Amino acid sequence: MAVDISQVSVVDTEPGELPATMAAWVIREDRFGEPRDAFQVEEIEVPEPGAFEVVVRVMAAGVNFNNVWAALAEPISIFRYGDHPEFGHHIGGSDASGVVWKVGDGVTRWKPGDEVVIHCNMASYEDPEVHGLDPMAAPSQMIWGYETTWGSFAQFTKVQAQQLLPKPKHLSWEEAASYGLTYFTAYRMLLNRGALTAGKKVLIWGAAGGLGVFAVQLCKAAGAECVGVVSSEEKGELVKQLGAAGYLNRNDFKGMMRRGGETPEEEKARFKESRRFSEAVNEILGEAPDIVFEHVGTATFPTSVYAVKPFGKVVICGATSGYTLDFDVRYLWMRQKEIIGSHFANAWECNLANKLIEESKIRPVLWKTLGFDGVATAHQMMRDNEHLGKIAVLVGATEEGQGRTAEGPGAIRAEVGA
């Protein structure tokens, strides 16, 4: 049945009371495929919050590539795990800003009417890892709005109370919805896993991309020095604006990229280019980097291991060019380097990172804002690599710029990309 979304910004209940149904962009198993087809608007019952849960009225949502994978059912179907077997549908969206609408039993920190942003890490309160080790180590750990349903592409979403953060007052709804997943990931990579401190030197792959723009700003805020790898001179100027000491255009070093299956002669030529690239990095930084910020994988990892200084760290959170890594391990053990994995962030890290946004020491970088009718389109743009930066979607907000209640710099509006 067709659902009228022209009034999606209108809610007939006051905070504290939920309507019976809501409009939501839904993926179901019988229509996996291209995002334009997999995402369809449906009328869905509004979930009630359980103990230590909160239902939030979504004012704006952020778009990430994870729900392109959800639409395609790649690398595996999302319906195999999480709460999907219970509900039988998937509402995606792992970034959001909104208003607390109803709280469940046991919630004392938040009340209806509070303006919030949502971080996307969920874990069971019963897992002991949550209470002393790290929630990211909990066996129940999942990414909300991807591994679970009730994500942000709907009028209302259900989250754990620990996922809520105060909305920065100087940001609009769409700006506040745009940064969580990528920024909090970059924060943990550098500040926790990479042990970033003042004076450190950092090499950032994809410095003008969704992760990189925050990595550059975090280095500046920490008093560290970084060099960014980008794909154009225009993007290089952006990362310098954000605080990088300099940049390298990866197109000037195409031969260093690992494809896999190189002949000995090709590998020798590739290594020569990696060495030339590393020398260029060292020239900008004055010495080899202490930390390499990795998320590219197959193509760049051999260079990352070679380029980082002895006792340095290669911190990796993803593998956009492939996750099968092949590198000369001699440069790892003989120079006592470290490879460190990192995945999103815990609630404490998200809170610390969000304070830097509140203080305008870090700024979101937003490219485009679409209406609620643009959810499928936004994901298809990502699928076809037609987007030029972070996309936000208005849900409860009726136009851009709403939600600001204080003065301060908003998001940087820019075309970005690795």
Side-chain angles (χ1 to χ4, degrees):
M1 181 178 68
V3 178
D4 180 12
I5 61 172
S6 63
Q7 299 299 309
V8 73
S9 62
V10 177
V11 174
D12 295 330
T13 63
E14 295 298 317
E17 180 185 355
L18 298 174
T21 63
M22 64 180 179
W25 284 92
V26 178
I27 295 172
R28 294 188 183 271
E29 283 188 280
D30 61 1
R31 55 175 183 256
F32 281 147
E34 294 298 315
R36 67 169 71 89
D37 302 315
F39 282 94
Q40 292 186 23
V41 178
E42 297 183 18
E43 185 176 11
I44 297 290
E45 290 186 10
V46 177
E48 286 284 341
F52 303 107
E53 291 182 339
V54 174
V55 170
V56 174
R57 179 189 177 190
V58 180
M59 300 304 291
V63 180
N64 296 287
F65 206 89
N66 60 1
N67 274 281
V68 174
W69 295 126
L72 296 168
E74 296 179 1
I76 63 172
S77 168
I78 52 174
F79 285 93
R80 290 189 183 183
Y81 51 91
D83 56 3
H84 295 106
E86 178 183 355
F87 297 109
H89 65 263
H90 175 70
I91 301 171
S94 299
D95 276 325
S97 62
V99 179
V100 172
W101 216 253
K102 190 173 182 179
V103 301
D105 292 342
V107 178
T108 59
R109 186 180 177 191
W110 305 97
K111 65 183 184 304
D114 286 345
E115 297 185 353
V116 295
V117 293
I118 300 171
H119 78 72
C120 64
N121 181 52
M122 301 184 76
S124 170
Y125 295 101
E126 295 182 315
D127 285 339
E129 292 87 351
V130 170
H131 303 286
L133 178 58
D134 190 318
M136 299 305 296
S140 63
Q141 188 275 326
M142 291 182 292
I143 297 299
W144 160 78
Y146 174 60
E147 294 173 293
T148 71
T149 194
W150 308 119
S152 59
F153 302 135
Q155 288 176 288
F156 292 89
T157 186
K158 184 175 73 167
V159 298
Q160 295 176 336
Q162 61 84 18
Q163 291 179 250
L164 301 184
L165 307 165
K167 174 190 169 293
K169 297 180 184 298
H170 64 287
L171 296 184
S172 66
W173 291 117
E174 70 276 6
E175 291 170 336
S178 70
Y179 62 83
L181 189 150
T182 52
Y183 171 44
F184 299 152
T185 298
Y187 184 95
R188 180 180 176 93
M189 285 180 71
L190 287 173
L191 275 297
N192 177 327
R193 306 296 283 156
L196 180 70
T197 56
K200 294 286 188 180
K201 311 287 187 178
V202 184
L203 167 62
I204 299 172
W205 293 103
L211 288 164
V213 292
F214 291 114
V216 172
Q217 292 184 77
L218 284 165
C219 287
K220 180 180 179 181
E225 193 172 14
C226 70
V227 57
V229 184
V230 296
S231 60
S232 71
E233 304 306 312
E234 293 77 15
K235 291 172 182 176
E237 291 305 312
L238 171 64
V239 300
K240 285 180 66 176
Q241 175 191 336
L242 295 176
Y247 67 89
L248 294 170
N249 190 326
R250 70 170 188 246
N251 294 312
D252 295 335
F253 302 90
K254 288 182 179 179
M256 72 176 170
M257 297 298 178
R258 175 70 122 174
R259 303 184 310 276
E262 279 88 350
T263 65
E265 292 75 18
E266 289 172 331
E267 176 59 18
K268 185 176 180 180
R270 189 203 62 74
F271 180 78
K272 184 177 180 181
E273 277 296 274
S274 289
R275 187 166 52 196
R276 186 171 72 89
F277 170 82
S278 297
E279 290 169 353
V281 170
N282 298 354
E283 185 175 347
I284 294 173
L285 294 178
E287 57 183 300
D290 301 278
I291 302 168
V292 176
F293 186 90
E294 247 288 358
H295 50 97
V296 182
T298 297
T300 58
F301 203 79
T303 301
S304 295
V305 173
Y306 176 76
V308 74
K309 68 167 49 174
F311 291 88
K313 306 175 191 292
V314 178
V315 186
I316 184 166
C317 76
T320 54
S321 69
Y323 52 78
T324 301
L325 305 182
D326 181 5
F327 61 95
D328 189 335
V329 75
R330 292 173 298 177
Y331 290 99
L332 184 69
W333 94 66
M334 294 180 71
R335 298 181 183 177
Q336 301 186 68
K337 304 176 181 185
E338 298 179 55
I339 296 172
I340 300 173
S342 189
H343 183 49
F344 192 60
N346 61 43
W348 178 242
E349 292 162 336
C350 293
N351 272 272
L352 293 175
N354 204 51
K355 289 182 185 298
L356 296 178
I357 296 277
E358 292 180 302
E359 296 166 358
S360 298
K361 293 177 180 176
I362 304 292
R363 294 173 64 187
V365 181
L366 179 62
W367 172 57
K368 184 183 287 291
T369 302
L370 302 176
F372 189 66
D373 60 352
V375 168
T377 300
H379 287 85
Q380 192 65 48
M381 290 172 67
M382 282 192 161
R383 161 70 166 159
D384 298 335
N385 199 29
E386 294 175 350
H387 67 300
L388 297 172
K390 192 62 182 276
I391 302 171
V393 172
L394 300 179
V395 186
T398 57
E399 60 183 32
E400 292 184 75
Q402 295 177 342
R404 291 193 184 96
T405 57
E407 295 296 319
I412 297 168
R413 303 286 174 147
E415 294 184 358
V416 302

